[in-house]
Amino acid sequence: MGPFITPIGQATENNRWAGYKPGIWAGLNNNKLIFVLTKRIIPCLDIRDGRTVKGVNFEDIRDAGDPVELGSFYARQGADELVFLDITATHEKRKTLHELVNRIAHQINIPFTVGGGISSPQDVSILLQNGADKISVNTAAFERPELVTQLAREFGSQCVVLAIDTKREADGQWYVYLNGGRKKTGMSCYEWASRAVDLGAGEILLTSMNHDGTKSGFAIDITRKLALGLPVPVIASGGGGNLSHFEEVFEQGKADAALAASIFHFKEVAIPELKRYLQDRNIPMRLP
Amino acid sequence: MNLTIIKYNAGNIQSVLYALERIGAAAVVSDDPQLIASSDKVIFPGVGEASSAMTYLRERNLDRLLKDLSQPVLGICLGMQLMCARSEENDTNCLGIFDEEVKKFTPGTKEWKVPQIGWNNIHHLKTGLFRNVQEGSFCYFVHGYAVSLGSHTIAETDYILPYSSALNRKNFYGVQFHPEKSAVVGEQILKNFLSI
């Protein structure tokens, strides 16, 4: 939500937005009623050899191990976007991923990002040709920052998501980690994010390693620093465990989007319930 | 009905093809002038950069062809922007189907992110393109440039300022959002275009 907008809540049957779809979100800007861009809720699916990794248990879908089925389920539930993170170890299995991306693109009617092991424009080109809307780069972009520029020039910034795994060290500073969090660097998270945006990254996917898996809430301070300091959207990831954590990351962390995995997969938080909860707290949400 | 999606050096063309498949419409992706000219309907999609897209279209004489089409044409995102007269993106002269200028979003403060990425409302909906689409429905947007409100505006969206999220002149329609990625609302809009 931009500045100067006082939320006035939702359109109802009776108020001045009568006739508009109930539940749409509006605000006041200089006394003029306007609508706003909504905050996004993004489930993340980890993929290995074309299958979802974490054991999920949904009686509503036939095969929760099938990323297409699970992704479609989330899309129907009102997810705003999906992220598919490929953790396939071997290079030979890339073809499986490409086929999967193609199936996802055929079936799913919301945008999706594919990440994991992307290190060249060729990798990106194949994924986009198969219908991915965006790709995310992490370690390869850090090791070769010119990759970000190359990708932005060739495919446009709008499809280049820079993923950063970050950890707060004892000195209180947030550092960039590579290789899925196994390799520490001496680079500050904010510095790298800011540089990557200058190079052409169109969005930042920020994962706090201190918070990931803890279900104790998102990393508010570093999310806020990036979200307020950078001109591109920031997706907060790691630590979302309950409804109020999401409220916090949008209200205080100023995140543009929030990503989570297992709490959705294990139905600890249901997307429709989460979105209604946030909407009731004046956080603009798309309620289908 | 035969339906052609214009093939050029822009992204997201496959996504449009797949979205049409989901609503049961077969389309071909082509840059063959004869095929395009003889289609019942034409879709001009795209994500990318204006000047390189216009260069590509001019080299293949697709610019003239597009302007002269008399069947229903739907421009999507960059496609809609290229149907305007001029774009601030690398100072590009475009097709001139809509006498409008495409301007860069200029945020007054850092809180506004550019490009706009995500779901926003469309309102003040006009024409059959939005039949059975409710006022205030959500569509998915990804763009850093926009067209101001004007006489061709058939849908409005607010981001920094109100702007045209859809345009119409005669047989030409343009949408700034991505119907192919806008869930059931987008599917309804594509269906509506097919029945125009």
Side-chain angles (χ1 to χ4, degrees), chain B residues 12-29:
Chain B
N12 231 33
I13 287 171
Q14 292 301 110
S15 303
V16 176
L17 180 68
Y18 300 157
L20 291 167
E21 281 176 21
R22 284 196 293 275
I23 60 169
V28 291
V29 178

Side-chain angles (χ1 to χ4, degrees), chain A residues 165-179:
Chain A
D165 295 321
T166 188
K167 191 173 173 184
R168 182 166 45 200
E169 298 288 346
D171 63 2
Q173 302 299 308
W174 291 90
Y175 291 95
V176 176
Y177 274 69
L178 303 178
N179 298 334

Side-chain angles (χ1 to χ4, degrees), chain B residues 142-160:
Chain B
V142 182
H143 61 127
Y145 295 78
V147 177
S148 308
L149 300 181
S151 57
H152 303 306
T153 304
I154 55 166
E156 297 178 20
T157 295
D158 301 309
Y159 193 69
I160 304 174

Side-chain angles (χ1 to χ4, degrees), chain A residues 31-50:
Chain A
N31 275 332
K32 185 181 178 295
L33 207 42
I34 66 155
F35 300 101
V36 297
L37 183 68
T38 58
K39 303 283 187 177
R40 289 170 280 155
I41 300 294
I42 307 177
C44 177
L45 286 74
D46 286 346
I47 309 295
R48 186 189 289 140
D49 303 338

Side-chain angles (χ1 to χ4, degrees), chain A residues 11 17 19-25 35-38 285-288, chain B residues 116 118-125 129-141 155-158 163 165 177 182-189 192:
Chain A
W17 286 105
Y20 281 71
K21 186 176 176 177
I24 71 162
W25 209 94
F35 300 101
V36 297
L37 183 68
T38 58
M285 284 283 132
R286 175 181 72 110
L287 295 180
Chain B
Q116 170 178 227
W119 297 80
N120 204 335
N121 296 281
I122 53 172
H123 52 92
H124 292 91
L125 307 178
L129 190 65
F130 297 107
R131 189 183 310 121
N132 297 326
V133 176
Q134 282 183 282
E135 286 286 336
S137 290
F138 287 104
C139 288
Y140 186 77
F141 291 84
E156 297 178 20
T157 295
D158 301 309
Y163 67 89
S165 43
F177 52 85
S182 295
V184 287
V185 171
E187 286 166 359
Q188 182 63 48
I189 292 166
N192 290 344

Side-chain angles (χ1 to χ4, degrees), chain A residues 97-126:
Chain A
L97 176 68
H98 302 151
E99 287 162 1
L100 172 64
V101 168
N102 194 270
R103 279 207 302 135
I104 294 166
H106 272 95
Q107 296 294 323
I108 291 179
N109 60 10
I110 58 171
F112 68 97
T113 302
V114 179
I118 293 169
S119 62
S120 70
Q122 291 73 31
D123 292 343
V124 172
S125 177
I126 296 171

